[in-house]
Amino acid sequence: AQSVTQLDSQVPVFEEAPVELRCNYSSSVSVYLFWYVQYPNQGLQLLLKYLSGSTLVKGINGFEAEFNKSQTSFHLRKPSVHISDTAEYFCAVSLQYTDKLIFGTGTRLQVFP
Amino acid sequence: DADVTQTPRNRITKTGKRIMLECSQTKGHDRMYWYRQDPGLGLRLIYYSFDVKDINKGEISDGYSVSRQAQAKFSLSLESAIPNQTALYFCATSAGNYGYTFGSGTRLTVV
């Protein structure tokens, strides 16, 4: 069975600094990978997804992620964060053709002025 | 109007009561899902439905039931609520392996 590990439960960072949120997955077959963001008191919003093709995926709000098959990782990055990026971020994986998402436990990004 | 609407947004109920959480969507998607979110545990799948006649259990279905009344409606019921069902519940829809659209959630407290 597949699983997702988000290595950091909280990431504090100052405004305009770069950030990386780490995600590793476990699966014996090909997967699709996703990052979602949850702003306070809201539902989850899709940031970006990897289905196939280029391993560097660009998403909304200046975020990007890189799929690394050998490391089974899908880390999320942003070169310069804003206060408004403060939110919880979830990595998720689904097996191809199953359309069932398995979520990580989330990483709370807190951006300080 | 939101693509995925959940009602109610907040609910407090007593132990042993039956409660229904409702979800409706205007995306035209066949696939619908119910998840619960608990601090530190992320989101866990309760039930999912790939069409009106297809209902499947997720990883934590005990104590819950669902009804898919139409393509656009998918309800989650707690037959006899217990305090450890206190959580944030999300409904989501999908057209395939391209990501989900989530509702805004229902915050349920069982006292």
Side-chain angles (χ1 to χ4, degrees), chain A residues 29-99:
Chain A
V29 298
S30 296
V31 297
Y32 297 144
L33 295 156
F34 305 83
W35 275 98
Y36 285 83
V37 60
Q38 183 181 30
Y39 298 105
N41 299 313
Q42 294 186 28
L44 280 73
Q45 178 183 357
L46 182 65
L47 265 182
L48 50 78
K49 60 193 175 197
Y50 172 77
L51 304 180
S52 64
S54 173
T55 57
L56 183 63
V57 180
K58 294 190 183 297
I60 62 172
N61 301 338
F63 284 93
E64 64 181 33
E66 185 157 19
F67 171 57
N68 187 320
K69 189 173 182 179
S70 62
Q71 303 282 336
T72 61
S73 68
F74 191 55
H75 301 333
L76 181 70
R77 301 186 183 98
K78 186 169 183 178
S80 175
V81 295
H82 304 290
I83 296 287
S84 59
D85 292 322
T86 294
E88 189 145 25
Y89 292 79
F90 292 94
C91 183
V93 62
S94 76
L95 295 179
Q96 289 183 359
Y97 313 121
T98 67
D99 201 25

Side-chain angles (χ1 to χ4, degrees), chain B residues 53-65:
Chain B
K53 296 182 180 179
D54 177 72
I55 304 288
N56 303 280
K57 293 182 177 181
E59 58 181 307
I60 55 162
S61 59
D62 287 349
Y64 301 95
S65 62

